[in-house]
Amino acid sequence: MHPMLNIAVRAARVAGTIIMRGYETRDELTLEQKGAHDFVTQIDKDAEQAIIEKIQQSYPDHAFIGEESGTTGENEYTWIIDPLDGTTNFIKGIPHFCVSIALLHKGRLEQALVFDPLRSELFTAGRGTGAQLNGYRIRGTQPKDLSNTVLATAFPFKDKSTFPAYNQTFCKIFAASGDVRRSGSAALDLAYVAAGRYDGYYERGIKPWDVAAGELLVRESGGIVTDFKGNNDPLNKGEIVAGSPKVIRGLVSHLKNL
């Protein structure tokens, strides 16, 4: 394992301990509302701070982009952190949330992990070295088309005025595929695509910390990641499509005019 990824794993496990301790005492949580239907807890903040502090012990000059703390520092190495992806699930006691950490070097994704502390599942990837789940190599699926695929997505719950148009496209994709899931954690959904549990994923209205780690996981498991028009820079477009080339082709054919 790359030394920087190894440090990230240690940081994620520290955050996972904080998250699980908070999960056991959810009734005592104090919620803050960041925006419409968008909440944060002290656990989110504590987990992010713990990740940053752990990484800084080894790399004090590196920069960070965190969901809760924003951008700090300036360096050719930048860590992108979502300390608790799936906060609403966490708050409600739905057992589906994770830690997501990715490392950019000169703007290019180099290392990534998604850690599910409930299931002790650690998804990791390094550029050019493949993707792993708990140390074992994983590969995405290679369906010939959308029929019989199981896809994942999310709905625009923060701006529901856009839902009618989104729903029209969803209905077309649902009709063309085997089934569609909506789980509430983009990072875990992308990790599941990398592991072959889902055949594809798409979402609009995402932030870099939602998908940075998942993007590298999918790419290193043999998949492709694009925006809704099939272009190659989803991290900065606020929208993402992930899966095998043929799944991407099928999804983009429905999403490109959305």
Side-chain angles (χ1 to χ4, degrees):
M1 184 179 291
H2 190 281
M4 291 186 184
L5 182 56
N6 190 41
I7 294 299
V9 168
R10 295 179 190 177
R13 293 195 184 280
V14 171
T17 299
I18 293 170
I19 290 167
M20 291 309 300
R21 191 182 301 127
Y23 190 65
E24 294 168 359
T25 56
R26 292 188 311 283
D27 293 342
E28 302 172 12
L29 292 176
T30 299
L31 306 183
E32 297 178 29
Q33 190 161 355
K34 297 191 292 184
H37 317 293
D38 190 10
F39 295 93
V40 63
T41 72
Q42 189 62 42
I43 300 300
D44 296 72
K45 297 178 181 179
D46 290 347
E48 181 166 299
Q49 188 59 36
I51 292 168
I52 292 172
E53 288 177 358
K54 189 67 175 178
I55 293 173
Q56 284 181 327
Q57 289 175 7
S58 299
Y59 306 108
D61 297 328
H62 285 193
F64 296 88
I65 300 173
E67 179 177 11
E68 310 309 333
S69 58
T71 301
T72 56
E74 186 174 344
N75 191 279
E76 64 183 29
Y77 288 99
T78 301
W79 297 88
I80 304 178
I81 301 167
D82 191 337
L84 179 50
D85 188 57
T87 297
T88 299
N89 286 347
F90 173 83
I91 293 167
K92 301 296 288 186
I94 300 169
H96 196 77
F97 46 81
C98 67
V99 180
S100 176
I101 303 174
L103 175 64
L104 291 174
H105 181 229
K106 297 181 178 179
R108 188 171 75 167
L109 285 166
E110 293 291 340
Q111 307 294 330
L113 71 82
V114 170
F115 177 51
D116 178 346
L118 271 169
R119 299 175 180 85
S120 295
E121 290 192 328
L122 176 66
F123 302 85
T124 57
R127 178 173 290 276
T129 63
Q132 297 81 34
L133 168 55
N134 290 343
Y136 293 92
R137 183 68 181 266
I138 53 176
R139 299 287 294 180
T141 62
Q142 297 290 327
K144 62 181 180 180
D145 52 38
L146 290 184
S147 63
N148 299 317
T149 57
V150 176
L151 307 173
T153 189
F155 297 134
F157 65 95
K158 295 179 184 179
D159 182 9
K160 295 185 179 181
S161 66
T162 64
F163 181 71
Y166 201 87
N167 189 46
Q168 287 183 356
T169 299
F170 170 82
C171 289
K172 294 176 183 178
I173 291 172
F174 180 69
S177 64
D179 204 352
V180 182
R181 303 282 190 266
R182 190 265 193 261
S183 68
S185 172
L188 266 183
D189 284 344
L190 288 166
Y192 282 15
V193 173
R197 297 174 180 176
Y198 291 146
D199 299 297
Y201 179 77
Y202 71 95
E203 183 180 357
R204 170 173 281 176
I206 47 97
K207 300 293 185 182
W209 50 77
D210 296 319
V211 297
E215 176 181 337
L216 188 60
L217 282 167
V218 171
R219 292 189 189 279
E220 289 298 320
S221 68
I224 293 175
V225 182
T226 74
D227 61 21
F228 279 14
K229 289 182 170 54
N231 297 320
N232 199 34
D233 188 25
L235 200 61
N236 298 310
K237 293 292 183 63
E239 56 191 36
I240 190 167
V241 190
S244 70
K246 292 181 179 178
V247 167
I248 292 285
R249 188 178 305 120
L251 287 173
V252 167
S253 69
H254 296 291
L255 294 166
K256 62 184 178 181
N257 295 319
L258 186 61

